[in-house]
Amino acid sequence: MPKVIYYVASSLDGFIATEDNSLDWLLQFGFEAFQAHYDRFIAGVGAVVMGGETYRWLRTEEPDNWSYRQPCWVLTSREESAPPQADVRFASGDVREVLAAARDAAGERDVWVVGGGNVAAQFADAGLLDELWVTYMPVALGNGRRLLPVDGPTPPMHLVATTQFNGGAAELRFAVG
C-alpha cells in the first residue's frame, strides 16, 4: 500500500531551516553520503507535495533546474508560475483534497511531503502521515523553522528503521500510529 511520507533533514534541535529559510547549515555536509539512499527513496515516489515557501526557495536557488519528475502539488495562496516542462499544480485549502489528487497521480508509489514543516504539520494534524523519515544532522541551530509544528500531540510513533551515514548523520524512520 503506498504511503504518505514526510522525508526531511533536521538539526539535532528540531529545525529544518534557519529563520530566514537558509539551508547553508545542511548544505555544508554535501550530498555524497546520502545520494544512494535518496535515489532509492525517490524511485518509490509517485507524487510530491510541498509548501509555497519551499517551492519559492527551490525556484530561487536553482531557477533553471526542476529535479522532480513526479507530479508536484504546491500548497500556496499566492499566484505562482510553474517551471517549463514540469508537472506542477498549485492548490490551497484542505490537504485532504490535495492528497486525494496526489495519491491518484502516484498510483502504486508513495506520496512525498517534501516540506516545509508547516505543510507536514497540516498532514499530521489531519491524520494523513504514514511515516516520517528524519535525517538528523550533527549540528544544532538554536532557532529556525520547526521540523513538525503540529497543533497538539500526535499519536505515538514507532521507530521502524535507522540508517547511519558517514559524517555523523542518522536517519530515524517512524511509522505513525
Side-chain angles (χ1 to χ4, degrees), residues 117 120-122 124-125 146 148-154:
Q122 289 178 54
D125 287 335
R146 291 176 39 215
L148 194 64
V150 293
D151 289 337
T154 66

Side-chain angles (χ1 to χ4, degrees), residues 155-175:
M157 297 182 200
H158 306 282
L159 184 64
V160 294
T162 61
T163 304
Q164 183 175 341
F165 297 99
N166 290 337
E171 178 187 82
L172 302 182
R173 187 171 156 188
F174 295 95

Side-chain angles (χ1 to χ4, degrees), residues 32-44:
E32 296 79 28
F34 311 99
Q35 192 65 54
H37 188 73
Y38 173 80
D39 291 345
R40 282 189 301 276
F41 171 77
I42 198 71

Side-chain angles (χ1 to χ4, degrees), residues 30-114:
F31 292 105
E32 296 79 28
F34 311 99
Q35 192 65 54
H37 188 73
Y38 173 80
D39 291 345
R40 282 189 301 276
F41 171 77
I42 198 71
V45 172
V48 296
V49 178
M50 66 180 66
E53 285 186 45
T54 299
Y55 178 76
R56 287 185 290 280
W57 185 89
L58 288 167
R59 299 293 294 138
T60 299
E61 291 298 308
E62 297 186 34
D64 298 325
N65 183 30
W66 185 253
S67 62
Y68 301 105
R69 302 295 171 244
Q70 305 84 349
C72 175
W73 279 259
V74 178
L75 301 177
T76 185
S77 57
R78 288 187 183 182
E79 193 69 30
E80 306 276 3
S81 61
Q85 314 302 311
D87 187 356
V88 177
R89 306 158 194 203
F90 302 99
S92 60
D94 192 334
V95 295
R96 288 174 187 87
E97 293 173 17
V98 171
L99 179 58
R103 279 187 187 220
D104 284 347
E108 293 299 313
R109 297 188 305 164
D110 296 326
V111 174
W112 176 16
V113 178
V114 176

